[in-house]
Amino acid sequence: MNLSIHSTFLPHTDAEASLAFYRDTLGFEVRNDVAYGGKRWITVGPAGQPGTSIVLTPAGITPGLTDDERRTIAEMMAKGTYAMIILASKDLDGTFERIQATGAEVIQEPTMQPYGVRDCAFRDPAGNHVRINEVR
């Protein structure tokens, strides 16, 4: 079996703000931008890696959710506990400085974790937790 990770989904609450973060702050390329029923699904990914994408999707859009479940999702997003993605960089300090300089919300400066990973963390405009691991 030969599987790869093709795409993952992160919720957004403001398509333009999320697009600006992933395109302008992180430097991802926009691969698709689909509007349907007054909502937007935006696919972004790292340049030169067309096989891996993030789909920024309207929060709470999953069919079958109750209003209570949508409220819970919104509350968790506001606290930054609903969704997370872990990215990687060979230049963690430089990446951190460039992202911080854009005004992105810093959760954690570059730190060596006790479990052996050096990383930093930000929140995207929807509250998603974006960690960046240092890779060598």
Side-chain angles (χ1 to χ4, degrees):
M1 186 179 315
N2 185 11
L3 296 174
S4 62
I5 297 173
H6 183 266
S7 58
T8 189
F9 289 71
L10 287 176
H12 72 72
T13 53
D14 179 331
E16 285 302 320
S18 289
L19 176 60
F21 179 79
Y22 286 93
R23 181 192 58 207
D24 305 334
T25 300
L26 299 184
F28 286 173
E29 62 187 19
V30 178
R31 299 185 176 149
N32 207 355
D33 191 342
V34 177
Y36 178 76
K39 309 279 186 193
R40 281 173 70 189
W41 287 256
I42 304 166
T43 304
V44 297
Q49 298 177 44
T52 303
S53 298
I54 301 169
V55 181
L56 305 169
T57 184
I61 197 73
T62 303
L65 290 178
T66 66
D67 289 341
D68 284 342
E69 291 166 331
R70 284 188 177 86
R71 270 192 297 279
T72 298
I73 290 170
E75 289 169 4
M76 292 178 71
M77 288 177 66
K79 292 176 15 182
T81 58
Y82 183 70
M84 174 193 288
I85 190 162
I86 300 177
L87 308 174
S89 173
K90 291 181 179 177
D91 178 15
L92 184 66
D93 294 310
T95 299
F96 176 81
E97 289 173 15
R98 284 190 296 278
I99 295 171
Q100 183 184 37
T102 68
E105 183 180 346
V106 175
I107 296 174
Q108 174 207 298
E109 294 187 5
T111 302
M112 186 65 186
Q113 301 293 346
Y115 42 86
V117 174
R118 186 165 185 271
D119 65 0
C120 65
F122 296 89
R123 281 175 45 129
D124 79 5
N128 298 309
H129 191 142
V130 179
R131 299 199 73 80
I132 303 173
N133 288 1
E134 182 174 56
V135 293
R136 298 181 182 152

